[in-house]
Amino acid sequence: MSEDLYEVLGLKRDASKDDIKKAHRKLALKFHPDKNPDDKVAADRFKRVQEAYDVLNDEDKRAAYDRYGADFEKIRGTQWNPEAGGAGFEGLDIEQIFGGRGRGGRGGGVEFEGGFSDFFEQMMGGGQGRGGRPQSRQAPPQKGANLRHELELPLELSITGGETEFYVNGEKLSVTIPPGVASGAKMRLREQGTPSPNGGPRGDLILLIKISDHPHFRRMGQNLELKLPVTIGEAMLGAKIEVPTPAGTVALTIPPGTSSGKRLRLKGQGVKNKAGKAGDLIVEVQIQLPAVIDEASQDLIRKFSEANPQSLRDDLAL
């Protein structure tokens, strides 16, 4: 991580946590392997974006990075803390403590079998006492701590399912997403969490699923909602329009005289549940007018309005 992590996300060092999440979401979608198959440059960029987010989204890691830079992981990982006031031996006079020279000295000194090294073993609770009797028992192997990670998925992947790759603390992992997974769901990856402190199994990795916003579709439970743009001619005269769905493209009939805001339902074209039953696709018609209308077209619209008078606001009242 020699590249500045703030620059990776396109942020300044005083960026807020919301700024970090927004920048990550935008770049992760842009460089996601599912959208850039066989693109090594995009894959490498996606990896760096994930690494930067894993650090800057964690308050402790971010503080360490701001203070120590690229070497912050090495400094955070050390077991020695010079400010902790631990059990050091500076200024410790062994002879003053035991009244002698440490091995049968004058003044009734203390003798340690096996030499002076045995003193340290006995002080630190290791080794064996006289007669081979153990002084302490070694702690049984402990499982490492569980680790939580927010995994953001494109809407289409959450619907269809499939394998995706992501990075946690610089480590590349992959997981198979089941079809129909929703935001807020949790997935557990066994022994992919924090390593054990004493030789036991690793903890688990808990993935917290978050679904990215889509520019056109919105998920509501097992249903999908789509705002469908249509021309004024298609709305007035009716039309058949091809609409994408999770199962493929289907033809949607727009009845003649359809107004903007009209909602049409395609049954069984939504998100499938675990049992394989799919919700519906609800299409909301949105009439889009041309940005520029020439004079000839305006004359036609005036004639049409005169030939088809409407009273739309007679009952409009506060």
Side-chain angles (χ1 to χ4, degrees):
M1 292 186 293
S2 58
E3 186 178 1
D4 184 82
L5 300 187
Y6 289 96
E7 292 181 1
V8 170
L9 296 181
L11 298 170
K12 296 182 179 180
R13 301 189 78 84
D14 60 352
S16 68
K17 199 159 188 176
D18 285 341
D19 293 335
I20 293 170
K21 289 186 176 181
K22 289 178 182 178
H24 168 256
R25 184 180 303 118
K26 178 181 177 181
L27 294 174
L29 287 174
K30 179 178 180 181
F31 296 109
H32 197 281
D34 291 339
K35 291 191 174 182
N36 302 274
D38 301 323
D39 188 337
K40 294 183 179 179
V41 175
D44 183 64
R45 189 65 181 171
F46 179 77
K47 176 182 177 181
R48 292 201 298 274
V49 167
Q50 290 297 113
E51 290 174 345
Y53 178 73
D54 287 337
V55 173
L56 299 184
N57 192 50
D58 186 294
E59 293 182 2
D60 293 337
K61 291 182 180 179
R62 181 180 180 182
Y65 177 76
D66 289 343
R67 183 173 182 182
Y68 302 111
D71 292 331
F72 81 103
E73 286 286 9
K74 298 177 183 178
I75 296 172
R76 289 178 72 249
T78 182
Q79 298 297 317
W80 176 71
N81 184 353
E83 299 177 358
F89 290 100
E90 288 189 16
L92 184 64
D93 192 332
I94 303 299
E95 293 189 6
Q96 289 182 11
I97 294 176
F98 294 101
R101 295 177 177 171
R103 187 175 179 87
R106 295 179 183 176
V110 179
E111 179 175 342
F112 295 97
E113 294 184 1
F116 194 65
S117 62
D118 273 8
F119 160 71
F120 286 100
E121 290 186 358
Q122 293 180 35
M123 282 286 289
M124 303 307 293
Q128 296 181 338
R130 301 191 184 195
R133 293 190 300 273
Q135 298 297 311
S136 62
R137 293 183 179 179
Q138 185 178 3
Q142 297 176 334
K143 184 178 181 180
N146 289 344
L147 186 64
R148 291 176 177 264
H149 176 76
E150 183 180 84
L151 181 60
E152 190 164 358
L153 303 175
L155 178 64
E156 52 268 41
L157 178 60
S158 72
I159 294 173
T160 61
E163 187 174 2
T164 187
E165 296 177 342
F166 60 100
Y167 292 84
V168 177
N169 295 332
E171 182 180 0
K172 182 179 180 180
L173 300 173
S174 64
V175 64
T176 299
I177 303 298
V181 67
S183 272
K186 296 180 181 180
M187 298 180 65
R188 181 184 295 267
L189 301 185
R190 300 288 182 183
E191 297 189 11
Q192 295 293 337
T194 304
S196 167
N198 59 354
R202 294 181 64 162
D204 298 336
L205 175 60
I206 311 299
L207 297 179
L208 308 177
I209 302 300
K210 180 179 180 181
I211 309 302
S212 304
D213 293 333
H214 193 280
H216 304 294
F217 289 87
R218 184 173 66 146
R219 180 173 174 178
M220 301 294 290
Q222 299 303 122
N223 291 339
L224 286 176
E225 295 184 353
L226 168 65
K227 293 184 183 297
L228 180 68
V230 301
T231 67
I232 189 170
E234 290 170 332
M236 293 177 63
L237 304 177
K240 282 189 177 293
I241 298 177
E242 292 189 344
V243 176
T245 76
T249 302
V250 300
L252 173 66
T253 299
I254 305 294
T258 296
S259 298
S260 194
K262 175 74 173 180
R263 291 165 70 87
L264 305 173
R265 185 182 296 266
L266 291 173
K267 291 187 176 182
Q269 298 298 331
V271 182
K272 290 184 179 180
N273 58 20
K274 293 182 179 180
K277 184 178 180 181
D280 301 333
L281 173 59
I282 301 170
V283 179
E284 182 178 316
V285 175
Q286 298 283 317
I287 298 175
Q288 300 291 315
L289 298 178
V292 179
I293 302 177
D294 59 29
E295 291 187 8
S297 297
Q298 292 180 31
D299 290 338
L300 291 174
I301 293 172
R302 290 190 189 97
K303 293 178 181 179
F304 175 84
S305 298
E306 291 171 359
N308 298 273
Q310 291 177 282
S311 298
L312 302 179
R313 295 174 290 278
D314 291 343
D315 60 347
L316 186 64
L318 182 62

